[in-house]
Short mmCIF file of all heavy atoms in Angstrom, two decimals:
data_model
loop_
_atom_site.label_atom_id
_atom_site.label_comp_id
_atom_site.label_asym_id
_atom_site.label_seq_id
_atom_site.Cartn_x
_atom_site.Cartn_y
_atom_site.Cartn_z
N LYS S 1276 187.26 111.01 144.39
CA LYS S 1276 188.54 111.49 144.94
C LYS S 1276 188.31 112.34 146.19
O LYS S 1276 188.58 113.57 146.13
CB LYS S 1276 189.37 112.19 143.84
CG LYS S 1276 190.76 111.96 143.84
CD LYS S 1276 191.44 112.83 142.73
CE LYS S 1276 191.53 114.29 143.07
NZ LYS S 1276 192.05 115.19 142.03
N ILE S 1277 187.87 111.73 147.21
CA ILE S 1277 187.52 112.52 148.53
C ILE S 1277 188.17 111.81 149.63
O ILE S 1277 188.10 110.45 149.71
CB ILE S 1277 185.98 112.61 148.76
CG1 ILE S 1277 185.37 113.41 147.48
CG2 ILE S 1277 185.72 113.32 150.00
CD1 ILE S 1277 183.87 113.37 147.57
N LYS S 1278 188.77 112.48 150.61
CA LYS S 1278 189.31 111.68 151.86
C LYS S 1278 188.16 112.01 152.96
O LYS S 1278 187.62 113.03 152.95
CB LYS S 1278 190.65 112.41 152.27
CG LYS S 1278 191.78 111.91 151.36
CD LYS S 1278 193.03 112.13 152.26
CE LYS S 1278 194.31 111.89 151.54
NZ LYS S 1278 195.05 113.19 151.48
N VAL S 1279 188.17 111.05 153.85
CA VAL S 1279 187.14 111.28 154.87
C VAL S 1279 187.72 110.77 156.18
O VAL S 1279 188.58 109.96 156.18
CB VAL S 1279 185.81 110.30 154.54
CG1 VAL S 1279 186.22 108.94 154.55
CG2 VAL S 1279 184.85 110.60 155.59
N GLU S 1280 187.37 111.50 157.20
CA GLU S 1280 187.64 111.13 158.63
C GLU S 1280 186.60 111.22 159.50
O GLU S 1280 185.77 112.24 159.41
CB GLU S 1280 188.97 112.03 159.00
CG GLU S 1280 189.58 111.57 160.31
CD GLU S 1280 190.64 112.47 160.78
OE1 GLU S 1280 191.05 113.58 160.06
OE2 GLU S 1280 190.93 112.52 162.01
N ILE S 1281 186.37 110.31 160.31
CA ILE S 1281 185.19 110.35 161.31
C ILE S 1281 185.67 110.51 162.74
O ILE S 1281 186.37 109.61 163.06
CB ILE S 1281 184.25 109.15 161.16
CG1 ILE S 1281 184.08 108.76 159.68
CG2 ILE S 1281 182.98 109.33 162.00
CD1 ILE S 1281 183.10 109.65 158.95
N LEU S 1282 185.32 111.61 163.43
CA LEU S 1282 185.72 111.72 164.84
C LEU S 1282 184.62 111.07 165.66
O LEU S 1282 183.40 111.37 165.44
CB LEU S 1282 185.95 113.11 165.18
CG LEU S 1282 186.95 113.91 164.38
CD1 LEU S 1282 187.12 115.27 165.07
CD2 LEU S 1282 188.30 113.22 164.24
N GLU S 1283 185.00 110.24 166.60
CA GLU S 1283 184.01 109.56 167.52
C GLU S 1283 183.94 110.52 168.82
O GLU S 1283 184.72 111.49 169.07
CB GLU S 1283 184.51 108.20 167.93
CG GLU S 1283 184.75 107.39 166.75
CD GLU S 1283 183.49 107.03 166.01
OE1 GLU S 1283 182.42 106.97 166.58
OE2 GLU S 1283 183.58 106.70 164.84
N ARG S 1284 183.08 110.12 169.75
CA ARG S 1284 182.80 111.00 170.95
C ARG S 1284 184.08 111.21 171.73
O ARG S 1284 184.33 112.42 172.13
CB ARG S 1284 181.84 110.08 171.95
CG ARG S 1284 181.26 111.07 173.01
CD ARG S 1284 180.63 110.36 174.16
NE ARG S 1284 179.49 109.46 173.51
CZ ARG S 1284 178.28 109.80 173.51
NH1 ARG S 1284 177.82 110.97 173.92
NH2 ARG S 1284 177.27 109.03 173.06
N ALA S 1285 184.98 110.18 171.85
CA ALA S 1285 186.20 110.39 172.57
C ALA S 1285 187.13 111.31 171.94
O ALA S 1285 187.79 112.21 172.67
CB ALA S 1285 186.88 109.06 172.75
N ASP S 1286 187.17 111.37 170.63
CA ASP S 1286 187.95 112.41 169.90
C ASP S 1286 187.51 113.77 170.09
O ASP S 1286 188.21 114.77 170.26
CB ASP S 1286 187.92 112.15 168.33
CG ASP S 1286 188.35 110.68 167.95
OD1 ASP S 1286 189.41 110.18 168.49
OD2 ASP S 1286 187.66 110.02 167.32
N MET S 1287 186.14 113.88 170.14
CA MET S 1287 185.43 115.27 170.34
C MET S 1287 185.82 115.70 171.76
O MET S 1287 186.07 116.93 171.98
CB MET S 1287 184.00 115.14 170.09
CG MET S 1287 183.76 114.93 168.61
SD MET S 1287 181.95 114.83 168.28
CE MET S 1287 181.65 113.09 167.85
N GLU S 1288 185.74 114.71 172.68
CA GLU S 1288 186.06 115.11 174.07
C GLU S 1288 187.45 115.61 174.16
O GLU S 1288 187.65 116.80 174.75
CB GLU S 1288 185.98 113.87 175.04
CG GLU S 1288 184.47 113.73 175.48
CD GLU S 1288 184.24 112.33 176.09
OE1 GLU S 1288 185.25 111.45 176.30
OE2 GLU S 1288 183.05 111.98 176.26
N LYS S 1289 188.43 115.03 173.56
CA LYS S 1289 189.82 115.49 173.51
C LYS S 1289 189.93 116.91 173.02
O LYS S 1289 190.84 117.76 173.38
CB LYS S 1289 190.71 114.53 172.70
CG LYS S 1289 191.33 113.40 173.58
CD LYS S 1289 192.20 112.56 172.73
CE LYS S 1289 192.04 111.16 173.21
NZ LYS S 1289 192.02 110.13 172.15
N LEU S 1290 189.14 117.12 171.90
CA LEU S 1290 189.16 118.42 171.32
C LEU S 1290 188.52 119.49 172.07
O LEU S 1290 188.49 120.81 171.76
CB LEU S 1290 188.64 118.32 169.89
CG LEU S 1290 189.37 117.67 168.73
CD1 LEU S 1290 188.62 117.38 167.58
CD2 LEU S 1290 190.61 118.56 168.29
N GLY S 1291 187.74 119.09 173.08
CA GLY S 1291 187.03 120.06 173.90
C GLY S 1291 185.71 120.57 173.32
O GLY S 1291 185.21 121.70 173.61
N MET S 1292 185.11 119.76 172.47
CA MET S 1292 183.91 120.15 171.84
C MET S 1292 182.75 119.96 172.81
O MET S 1292 181.73 119.17 172.57
CB MET S 1292 183.55 119.27 170.56
CG MET S 1292 184.64 119.59 169.51
SD MET S 1292 184.34 118.59 168.13
CE MET S 1292 185.28 119.46 166.79
N GLY S 1293 182.74 120.69 173.86
CA GLY S 1293 181.74 120.58 174.99
C GLY S 1293 180.38 121.06 174.61
O GLY S 1293 179.29 120.47 175.09
N SER S 1294 180.24 122.00 173.59
CA SER S 1294 178.88 122.30 173.10
C SER S 1294 178.18 121.32 172.35
O SER S 1294 177.02 120.86 172.63
CB SER S 1294 179.03 123.67 172.50
OG SER S 1294 177.85 124.24 172.08
N LEU S 1295 178.93 120.77 171.40
CA LEU S 1295 178.50 119.69 170.47
C LEU S 1295 178.09 118.53 171.33
O LEU S 1295 176.97 117.90 171.19
CB LEU S 1295 179.50 119.31 169.45
CG LEU S 1295 179.33 118.01 168.67
CD1 LEU S 1295 178.02 117.80 168.05
CD2 LEU S 1295 180.49 118.04 167.50
N LEU S 1296 178.97 118.09 172.25
CA LEU S 1296 178.72 116.90 173.06
C LEU S 1296 177.48 117.14 174.04
O LEU S 1296 176.84 116.17 174.34
CB LEU S 1296 179.94 116.59 173.86
CG LEU S 1296 181.07 115.95 172.85
CD1 LEU S 1296 182.26 115.77 173.65
CD2 LEU S 1296 180.63 114.67 172.32
N SER S 1297 177.28 118.33 174.47
CA SER S 1297 176.19 118.50 175.37
C SER S 1297 174.90 118.21 174.66
O SER S 1297 173.95 117.63 175.28
CB SER S 1297 176.11 120.00 175.97
OG SER S 1297 175.65 120.88 174.87
N VAL S 1298 174.64 118.50 173.41
CA VAL S 1298 173.46 118.15 172.63
C VAL S 1298 173.28 116.64 172.54
O VAL S 1298 172.26 116.09 172.67
CB VAL S 1298 173.50 118.76 171.26
CG1 VAL S 1298 172.21 118.42 170.53
CG2 VAL S 1298 173.54 120.26 171.32
N ALA S 1299 174.50 116.04 172.36
CA ALA S 1299 174.55 114.53 172.19
C ALA S 1299 174.19 113.68 173.36
O ALA S 1299 173.80 112.42 173.35
CB ALA S 1299 175.86 113.99 171.56
N GLN S 1300 174.41 114.27 174.44
CA GLN S 1300 174.28 113.51 175.83
C GLN S 1300 172.94 112.96 176.06
O GLN S 1300 172.89 112.11 176.96
CB GLN S 1300 175.01 114.35 176.99
CG GLN S 1300 174.13 115.47 177.54
CD GLN S 1300 174.87 116.32 178.52
OE1 GLN S 1300 175.96 116.64 178.30
NE2 GLN S 1300 174.07 116.74 179.51
N GLY S 1301 171.96 113.55 175.56
CA GLY S 1301 170.59 112.94 175.82
C GLY S 1301 170.22 111.81 174.94
O GLY S 1301 169.13 111.29 175.14
N SER S 1302 171.00 111.40 174.06
CA SER S 1302 170.65 110.44 172.99
C SER S 1302 171.46 109.16 173.13
O SER S 1302 172.62 109.14 173.66
CB SER S 1302 170.88 111.01 171.58
OG SER S 1302 170.90 109.95 170.57
N HIS S 1303 170.86 107.97 172.75
CA HIS S 1303 171.60 106.69 172.79
C HIS S 1303 172.42 106.53 171.52
O HIS S 1303 173.24 105.66 171.47
CB HIS S 1303 170.57 105.62 172.84
CG HIS S 1303 169.85 105.55 174.21
ND1 HIS S 1303 170.53 105.38 175.44
CD2 HIS S 1303 168.55 105.67 174.51
CE1 HIS S 1303 169.64 105.46 176.42
NE2 HIS S 1303 168.41 105.65 175.92
#
Side-chain angles (χ1 to χ4, degrees):
K1276 220 182 70 188
I1277 299 170
K1278 280 205 195 114
V1279 66
E1280 190 186 345
I1281 315 284
L1282 304 186
E1283 304 294 334
R1284 193 194 304 266
D1286 305 311
M1287 293 181 247
E1288 274 163 9
K1289 267 184 222 137
L1290 285 163
M1292 294 181 163
S1294 185
L1295 163 50
L1296 288 171
S1297 76
V1298 177
Q1300 77 192 36
S1302 163
H1303 293 299

